[in-house]
Amino acid sequence: MKHQRSTTTGVPALKSRGRLITDPKQKAEVLNSQVFTAFSTGISKFRTKCTMPDSRDDFPPMADISINSHGVEKQLNSPNPTKASGPEGITPRVFKELSKEVIPILIGIYQSSLETGVVPRDWKEALAFDRVSHSLLTHKLDHYSIRGSTNRWIENFLAYRHQAVAVDGAQSSRVAVKSGVPQSSVLGPCLFQAYINDLPTRISSPSRLFAEDTAVYRFSDDPSKL
């Protein structure tokens, strides 16, 4: 039925400060302002209250990451070329058709980024949102033996990011991102999974984790209450 529909409603009119907002650009601004107020501050005191399961020494050291042409070529050719571009405005088709030419350049950029622990500013634009505390996330990654240059790179990857909200083809102004992991990225789900990995040890009910979804079960001796 979804594919048979000829029209879509998009985001309905929004009410802000007593006014009804119908313009897509203004709706995007209203939603972006609301998102900004909901960010987690990532205060470092959360780290002192976070007790991780097992010992930090139980996890073997993670080897340094190295970039090779095979891995870069695989990533350039994997996206669907018909997909829309990201905030940088470059479509997947461009990278796919020019992969041979740009692979050596990208290897140099990626390896330099890993070694210095600095992520280019243009890579930090997103249209994603959640409340993952950056400080607590890097603390948990360190516990799981993701340390040294890799941890520093992830910390910089998350820091000084900006985001916007897109509504019906219109985009809001940018705001600073205070929490969250980038959505629509390969690394984002992995970081979120590491962030919630200790959740089952903190609840008394059986649970299952799958990507960003968590299922919690409750058992009862009374079948009528199941």
Side-chain angles (χ1 to χ4, degrees), residues 159-196:
Y160 311 111
R161 301 187 69 89
H162 291 83
Q163 75 159 37
V165 172
V167 175
D168 300 335
Q171 187 167 304
S172 70
S173 55
R174 301 184 308 159
V175 296
V177 174
K178 297 183 179 180
S179 66
V181 294
Q183 299 180 20
S184 302
S185 66
V186 176
L187 186 58
C190 295
L191 294 177
F192 186 79
Q193 189 67 52
Y195 188 77
I196 65 172

Side-chain angles (χ1 to χ4, degrees), residues 116-134:
T116 61
V118 177
V119 179
R121 183 178 302 175
D122 289 344
W123 294 2
K124 300 184 179 185
E125 304 293 331
L127 302 173
F129 161 76
D130 60 61
R131 292 171 55 83
V132 171
S133 164
H134 295 165

Side-chain angles (χ1 to χ4, degrees), residues 129-177:
F129 161 76
D130 60 61
R131 292 171 55 83
V132 171
S133 164
H134 295 165
S135 175
L136 188 54
L137 173 59
T138 54
H139 170 69
K140 290 188 175 185
L141 292 177
D142 178 88
H143 178 85
Y144 292 132
S145 195
I146 301 177
R147 304 163 189 152
S149 60
T150 302
N151 193 293
R152 290 195 301 271
W153 186 91
I154 292 176
E155 185 176 16
N156 191 269
F157 174 72
L158 297 171
Y160 311 111
R161 301 187 69 89
H162 291 83
Q163 75 159 37
V165 172
V167 175
D168 300 335
Q171 187 167 304
S172 70
S173 55
R174 301 184 308 159
V175 296
V177 174

